[in-house]
Amino acid sequence: MSALDGLRLTAAKKPTHIPAIVFRRNKLSNKLWEQIQLAKSHIDGTPFIVTKFRTIKDKETGLRRQVEIPKRIREWWFKNDAGKVCVSVRYGTKVIELAKGKHSVEVENAEALVKALEIIKTAVEAGELDAQIETASGVLKAAFKK
């Protein structure tokens, strides 16, 4: 009896590339995760820091090296005139229209903000906002072609 007999073997291969809409969906899902963690850190009163790598050139030696720097994350939420918290979902610099003529979600407090962001994240991962993501992506692409 072989050690592999207990495993279920298949002929599946890893895809060489993922479809563009799945890539965009994952990108927005990651940004929503950052917003959820940022909101949770505001509730707890702790800092939330995501780091990224940046390549810099040493002026003395001329060598390039990578340094880790904190990533700037801007809040997607704001307070409206009534004192309620509103959150708008962004894809790049564009605000996504969640429903016809509706660009933001209004919630009572910070705890409800986290729940709303998690609901939006599950909707994005389920593909419910694919049309809006595609539209925002097209607008952003057109801005680069100018």
Side-chain angles (χ1 to χ4, degrees):
M1 182 167 185
S2 170
L4 296 177
D5 289 341
L7 300 176
R8 183 177 171 199
L9 303 175
T10 65
K13 288 194 223 178
K14 182 179 177 182
T16 56
H17 72 286
I18 59 173
I21 192 63
V22 175
F23 177 79
R24 292 183 185 114
R25 195 183 300 157
N26 292 340
K27 179 180 172 182
L28 183 57
S29 178
N30 289 337
K31 296 295 182 184
L32 282 164
W33 177 83
E34 288 177 355
Q35 290 297 314
I36 291 168
Q37 298 307 315
L38 186 61
K40 285 180 180 177
S41 71
H42 276 285
I43 293 170
D44 298 339
T46 59
F48 174 66
I49 300 171
V50 176
T51 57
K52 64 180 180 178
F53 287 98
R54 185 171 186 181
T55 304
I56 61 167
K57 186 175 180 180
D58 191 1
K59 293 181 181 177
E60 296 171 2
T61 62
L63 298 174
R64 294 183 183 272
R65 63 184 176 104
Q66 287 192 338
V67 291
E68 199 171 0
I69 60 170
K71 183 179 176 182
R72 182 177 64 187
I73 302 173
R74 294 185 178 171
E75 300 169 350
W76 288 355
W77 61 86
F78 58 93
K79 287 200 175 192
N80 64 4
D81 297 336
K84 308 249 181 177
V85 179
C86 294
V87 62
S88 299
V89 179
R90 296 183 168 272
Y91 186 84
T93 58
K94 302 300 174 197
V95 176
I96 292 179
E97 189 176 44
L98 300 172
K100 187 73 173 168
K102 313 260 179 171
H103 297 282
S104 63
V105 177
E106 184 179 272
V107 293
E108 296 293 323
N109 52 26
E111 288 81 16
L113 172 67
V114 172
K115 290 178 186 170
L117 285 169
E118 288 172 346
I119 291 169
I120 294 169
K121 185 175 184 283
T122 54
V124 167
E125 290 171 350
E128 295 177 25
L129 297 176
D130 284 351
Q132 291 92 327
I133 294 170
E134 193 68 35
T135 303
S137 174
V139 171
L140 287 171
K141 272 193 224 176
F144 281 105
K145 291 181 182 178
K146 288 183 180 178

